[in-house]
């Protein structure tokens, strides 16, 4: 009884760019980028990350969108269909399957962290962001530690976030997403800029933050740091598991994929850098440790909110925006699997969404407990949450991206690529060269070097 759901399309080029940017901009930019930059030593890490976005990320982003639009199906269907069209092994659809599994793993902990944003909206509204300047740092550290110590609270917020994600995905890509992103992006920009201005004018540590972020000290760059930077380039651009293929499959033919990809990458990078510029002055001014880990923004920003006029209101709005940014990303993690179940397996959209979300929710319980009950449990020195984060961002996404680059670079016909990507000959050659050589060799070398 495979009912064929008609395949929908974005209403315009802007709608696609907004939705794809909404997917890219999320916890990765505002929560993860600052704390891994702090952990891996600052400028040199930022430099490698920026190079990866430009040289490997953008070419693979273009490849994913292209595969999705050409295939017109879920990542599993598009990879299989294009492989058939090109006369190569149908096993390439395995990349789509790998992506679905990776997305589920990421969504599980993504929802737990996004739950923190929900909790913090509540803290802002109930006046928790208040402390005398000298007491602000210990007070906000205690607030965050208190949240992490409570499995019940973490599970409550995790559940609520997952329910919100399901509610949006079940409605379908168009209605749910376009509107949310249209409002969010300008708001997020203004708010982050305001925080950067505050940090620049009143912490006295802006120069230190600038030097930390943009003066590379290459001697501090370990193999692991390079691997994390590469992995983060994939994570932040939503690459390597088929999100951008799924979104590309809804893209009307006349839209320029290359231009859209550059817009997405530039906006995504700007948001991350703004977040870094807002947070590190606070970190240095208040004696926090840059390498403190996943709690970095949840401690540093509330310190600022405790000092500024109307700080509680500003804090509530900030965490609300962070929540929306996380939602427009979490829905994109579900989309590949949901698209597959609906269009290629004839399931209803709600049932498909629920099936995947419940699996991710269950797994997320492990990440919630990793911060308290299971804090003692570690494999390779990492707890459950760290392990999942490392496995997905630093191994599965680069492996997925590498396979996608090889598929587009070596398996799809040149004419196919040229039809989809209407760009000049130089640009095309450069793009294909990156997919064939630079991206696969670079990612493979990083994986080997970083893991061994
Ligand atoms: N890019 C998002 C962020 O930075 C997370 C995300 C959404 C993602 N979809 C993805 C990461 C697909 C990897 C692959 O928060």
């Amino acid at each position: 009884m495979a009912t064929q759901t008609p395949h929908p399309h974005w209403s315009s080029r802007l709608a696609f760019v907004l939705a794809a940017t909404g997917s890219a901009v999320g916890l990765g930019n505002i929560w993860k980028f600052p704390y891994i930059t702090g952990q891996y030593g600052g400028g040199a890490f930022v430099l490698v990350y920026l190079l990866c976005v430009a040289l490997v990320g953008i070419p693979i982003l273009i490849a994913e969108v292209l595969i999705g639009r050409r295939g017109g199906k879920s990542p599993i269907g598009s990879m299989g269909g294009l492989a058939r069209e090109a006369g190569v092994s149908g096993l390439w659809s395995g990349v789509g399957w790998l992506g679905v599994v990776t997305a589920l793993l990421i969504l599980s902990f993504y929802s737990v962290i996004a739950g923190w944003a929900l909790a913090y909206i509540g803290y802002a509204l109930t006046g928790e962001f208040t402390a005398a300047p000298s007491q602000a740092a210990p007070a906000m550290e205690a607030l965050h530690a208190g949240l992490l110590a409570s499995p019940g609270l973490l599970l409550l917020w995790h559940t609520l976030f997952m329910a919100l994600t399901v509610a949006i995905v079940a409605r379908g890509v168009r209605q749910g997403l376009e509107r949310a992103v249209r409002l969010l992006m300008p708001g997020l920009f203004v708010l982050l800029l305001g925080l950067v201005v505050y940090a620049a004018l009143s912490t006295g540590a802006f120069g230190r933050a600038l030097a930390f972020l943009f003066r590379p000290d290459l001697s501090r760059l370990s193999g692991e740091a390079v691997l994390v930077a590469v992995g983060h380039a994939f994570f932040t651009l939503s690459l390597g598991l088929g999100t951008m293929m799924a979104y590309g499959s809804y893209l009307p033919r006349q839209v320029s994929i290359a231009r859209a990809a550059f817009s997405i990458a530039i906006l995504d990078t700007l948001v991350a850098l703004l977040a870094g510029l807002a947070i590190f002055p606070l970190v240095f001014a208040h004696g926090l440790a840059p390498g403190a880990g996943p709690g970095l923004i949840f401690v540093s920003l509330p310190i600022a909110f405790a000092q500024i006029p109307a700080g509680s209101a500003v804090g509530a709005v900030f965490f609300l925006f962070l929540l929306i940014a996380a939602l427009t990303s979490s829905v994109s993690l579900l989309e590949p699997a949901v698209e597959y179940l609906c269009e290629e397996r004839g399931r209803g959209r709600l049932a498909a969404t629920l099936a995947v979300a419940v699996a991710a929710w269950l797994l997320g319980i492990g990440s919630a407990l990793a911060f308290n009950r299971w804090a003692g449990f570690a494999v390779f020195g990492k707890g459950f949450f760290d392990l999942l984060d490392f496995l997905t961002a630093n191994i599965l996404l680069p492996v997925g991206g590498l396979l996608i680059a090889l598929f587009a670079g070596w398996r799809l016909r040149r004419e196919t690529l040229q039809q989809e990507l209407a760009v000049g000959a130089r640009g095309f050659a450069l793009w294909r060269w990156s997919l064939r050589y630079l991206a696969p060799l670079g990612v493979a070398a990083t994986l080997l070097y970083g893991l061994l």
Side-chain angles (χ1 to χ4, degrees), residues 229-287:
V230 172
H232 187 64
F234 283 100
F235 188 89
T236 191
L237 291 175
S238 300
L239 297 179
L241 60 71
T243 279
M244 290 300 180
M245 286 186 207
Y247 278 21
S249 78
Y250 305 119
L251 188 61
R253 296 218 59 84
Q254 64 279 11
V255 174
S256 158
I257 295 178
R259 269 182 45 207
F262 276 93
S263 317
I264 296 162
I266 289 169
L267 282 171
D268 183 73
T269 306
L270 269 178
V271 173
L273 294 178
L274 282 178
L277 285 173
I279 286 157
F280 281 106
L282 297 166
V283 168
F284 292 126
H286 292 275

Side-chain angles (χ1 to χ4, degrees), residues 10 15-25 61 181 237-238 244 247 264:
W10 304 109
F16 166 75
V17 173
L18 283 172
T21 308
S23 166
V25 174
L61 174 54
V181 185
L237 291 175
S238 300
M244 290 300 180
Y247 278 21
I264 296 162

